Amino acid sequence: MFKKQKSLASERKREVFSQGGTRSIQKNDMRNFQSFSQLVLSAGPLKSTPAVKKSKTTHFEIEILDAQTRKQICIVDKVTQTSTIHDVKQKFHKACPQWYPSRVGLQLERGGPFLKDYITIQSVAASSIVTLYFTDLGQQVSWTTVFLAEYTGPLFIYFLFYLRIPYIYDMKESSRRSRHPVVHLACFCHCIHYTRYLLETLFVHKISAGHTPLKNLIKGCAFYWGFTCWIAYYINHPRYTPPSFGNRQVTVSAINFLICEAGNHFINVVLAHPNHTGTNACFPSPNYNPFTWMFFLVSCPNYTYEIGSWISFTVMTQTLPVGIFTLMMSIQMSLWAQKKHKIYLKRFNSCMHRKSAMIPFIL
């Protein structure tokens, strides 16, 4: 009996020890779990590994050939879809420094039109390799330089004849004959006309950033400067004959000249700030300014006012050189007006109903 009691007592102790051991193990497990959870919470949320973005940019290879010999000049590589022809010209200039971007002409095919600088490569590329033909456009000048040179010359040339500097007129005859008032008025009107041209070139007109060959600058200066010399020589000559109908002819013509100059200026301001409806451009519409009401009749009223100014100047001075200059300007501007009128018909057909190009109901 005594042995059985001892064995029972020993078994109970083992159970107690075993229960205590399991409890201690459970407590240790709980402590380890709590410490692990605190560690996870302190570390913050798990960050997902960023996905690697695949580049969708396609690079083009531009092969530039000589338009005459078809020989390869260079290859421009690593050209993106959004790159423009201007960007290609810049890279072409780095490869061939002797050709500046302004004198580089690029074509898709020989004899075709030159690509504009704003055209993207993606719009003309049929594959990853694009072939362009190069033509040297020669020495180029900006359009702003062309206009400033054409209009500055007549302004100063006319003054040389108006002041009657030596070696142009006979000084004895010049001092002996008094000037008619129309001579001073003609100088005033001529200066207003070309001063307006210069100011509008600098502050009103949105001139293209493109360039033109140097020969066009020479042609324009020869035309304007040459006619100014011819006109100023006759009007400021000591033997100049005043208009046939006297002051009445001069006064009416001078008033009409100033009206046309004002109308030309206001039309140019309207054309420099075109109307827009949403994303679509609209044909210039008349506003509260009476000078803009000419848009009801013609599509190019700036040319209408320009011709009106020179007709008034011709009648006011009554000289043959001014009349010939007015005739030549009228022919040239009528061609420009008809060309623009056709463009307006395609773009704004609903706004061009019963409108003429330059002269109401005639042209």
Side-chain angles (χ1 to χ4, degrees):
M1 291 291 293
F2 182 75
K3 288 181 178 179
K4 289 180 179 180
Q5 290 177 354
K6 280 186 177 180
S7 62
L8 291 171
S10 61
E11 288 178 1
R12 287 178 180 176
K13 286 181 180 180
R14 288 176 183 173
E15 290 178 359
V16 171
F17 281 119
S18 62
Q19 289 177 359
T22 54
R23 287 177 183 175
S24 62
I25 292 172
Q26 290 177 354
K27 288 181 179 180
N28 291 332
D29 292 340
M30 290 296 295
R31 288 175 183 174
N32 292 333
F33 178 75
Q34 289 177 356
S35 62
F36 177 74
S37 62
Q38 289 178 356
L39 179 63
V40 172
L41 292 174
S42 63
L46 295 176
K47 295 182 179 180
S48 59
T49 57
V52 179
K53 295 182 178 180
K54 296 182 179 179
S55 177
K56 296 182 180 180
T57 304
T58 303
H59 290 85
F60 295 93
E61 187 177 275
I62 311 298
E63 181 187 25
I64 299 180
L65 308 179
D66 191 298
Q68 295 181 350
T69 62
R70 293 188 179 182
K71 292 182 178 180
Q72 186 185 92
I73 300 176
C74 70
I75 294 178
V76 180
D77 56 357
K78 295 182 180 180
V79 179
T80 61
Q81 292 178 340
T82 57
S83 298
T84 61
I85 296 297
H86 179 72
D87 298 330
V88 175
K89 290 181 179 180
Q90 294 285 349
K91 292 185 177 183
F92 178 66
H93 172 59
K94 290 181 181 179
C96 304
Q98 67 270 26
W99 288 305
Y100 292 92
S102 60
R103 65 185 298 170
V104 174
L106 297 178
Q107 304 162 294
L108 276 176
E109 52 187 30
R110 296 178 65 189
F114 292 108
L115 299 174
K116 301 293 183 182
D117 286 349
Y118 58 82
I119 294 178
T120 59
I121 295 298
Q122 185 180 10
S123 62
V124 298
S127 63
S128 60
I129 300 177
V130 182
T131 301
L132 298 179
Y133 293 93
F134 160 75
T135 301
D136 185 8
L137 300 178
Q139 187 65 38
Q140 303 285 301
V141 292
S142 65
W143 282 109
T144 303
T145 303
V146 172
F147 295 142
L148 292 178
E150 288 179 349
Y151 304 147
T152 304
L155 196 62
F156 289 99
I157 290 174
Y158 198 96
F159 268 116
L160 297 178
F161 288 90
Y162 176 75
L163 296 175
R164 291 182 177 177
I165 61 175
Y167 310 109
I168 296 180
Y169 304 112
D170 186 358
M171 297 304 297
K172 293 182 179 180
E173 190 175 14
S174 299
S175 60
R176 206 170 46 240
R177 293 175 177 270
S178 60
R179 302 192 190 193
H180 193 274
V182 72
V183 176
H184 304 291
L185 184 60
C187 180
F188 174 74
C189 292
H190 192 274
C191 291
I192 284 180
H193 181 75
Y194 283 101
T195 301
R196 178 183 63 80
Y197 265 172
L198 291 172
L199 293 177
E200 288 179 352
T201 300
L202 295 174
F203 304 110
V204 177
H205 294 302
K206 295 180 180 179
I207 301 175
S208 172
H211 295 73
T212 186
L214 181 62
K215 62 181 181 180
N216 290 339
L217 171 64
I218 297 174
K219 289 180 182 179
C221 290
F223 178 78
Y224 282 100
W225 294 16
F227 264 104
T228 300
C229 292
W230 194 21
I231 291 170
Y233 177 82
Y234 275 88
I235 295 177
N236 296 283
H237 198 280
R239 297 182 181 180
Y240 168 72
T241 304
S244 303
F245 297 95
N247 294 333
R248 180 180 299 178
Q249 178 179 344
V250 173
T251 303
V252 173
S253 301
I255 293 174
N256 191 63
F257 176 87
L258 296 176
I259 291 174
C260 291
E261 286 293 305
N264 201 342
H265 171 70
F266 289 119
I267 292 297
N268 287 332
V269 171
V270 172
L271 293 175
H273 302 86
N275 298 329
H276 290 81
T277 303
T279 58
N280 298 323
C282 297
F283 183 79
S285 58
N287 52 32
Y288 61 88
N289 190 335
F291 291 103
T292 63
W293 296 350
M294 188 66 73
F295 276 117
F296 285 121
L297 302 175
V298 295
S299 58
C300 301
N302 52 328
Y303 295 148
T304 307
Y305 284 120
E306 180 76 11
I307 297 304
S309 295
W310 283 110
I311 291 176
S312 301
F313 195 78
T314 303
V315 176
M316 181 178 65
T317 57
Q318 196 173 309
T319 54
L320 180 62
V322 182
I324 296 176
F325 179 77
T326 301
L327 178 61
M328 295 186 67
M329 289 291 292
S330 301
I331 295 173
Q332 181 62 68
M333 289 188 177
S334 65
L335 297 176
W336 290 341
Q338 290 177 359
K339 184 177 180 179
K340 287 187 176 182
H341 188 68
K342 291 180 180 178
I343 297 175
Y344 289 152
L345 284 174
K346 293 180 180 179
R347 296 181 61 187
F348 316 108
N349 192 18
S350 59
C351 304
M352 304 300 296
H353 185 60
R354 294 182 180 179
K355 284 187 180 180
S356 302
M358 187 177 70
I359 302 175
F361 313 111
I362 299 176
L363 178 63

